[in-house]
Amino acid sequence: MRATRTLVRLHVAQGYLATARRMLDELALRSGPAELAAMEALWARAADGARRDAAVRLLDELLARVRKARRKGGRGRARKVAEA
């Protein structure tokens, strides 16, 4: 698939950031990076948002594990070691 600006925008909008990054790199080789500054900024904003979302999901999973461990009445490994 040949990289175009429209395809890059579409991939960024749909969240396919790795594919969009490869297309941006290909376009930069053909047309020069100066012409793609706006698209680079669009990709960067989408990547920052994806990183934030991933961090929130990770923290939610960690919180769920902590709550589960507390419901079981222990503090995880520290309690198991103390009982042994």
Side-chain angles (χ1 to χ4, degrees):
M1 170 178 359
R2 185 169 183 218
T4 64
R5 293 167 192 235
T6 302
L7 277 177
V8 171
R9 284 189 198 102
L10 181 65
H11 279 77
V12 168
Q14 292 180 343
Y16 301 122
L17 298 177
T19 305
R21 179 76 257 166
R22 284 192 301 272
M23 288 182 177
L24 272 172
D25 293 342
E26 182 183 328
L27 283 172
L29 291 174
R30 287 189 302 188
S31 62
E35 298 175 13
L36 300 175
M39 295 184 73
E40 290 279 351
L42 175 70
W43 184 88
R45 284 191 304 272
D48 287 343
R51 285 186 204 103
R52 277 192 303 277
D53 292 345
V56 168
R57 277 193 305 273
L58 184 64
L59 288 172
D60 284 343
E61 291 172 11
L62 178 61
L63 179 60
R65 283 188 282 164
V66 167
R67 286 179 176 164
K68 184 177 178 181
R70 286 184 178 172
R71 274 195 307 268
K72 289 183 177 182
R75 290 183 174 237
R77 289 180 169 255
R79 183 168 185 137
K80 290 179 185 176
V81 171
E83 292 174 354

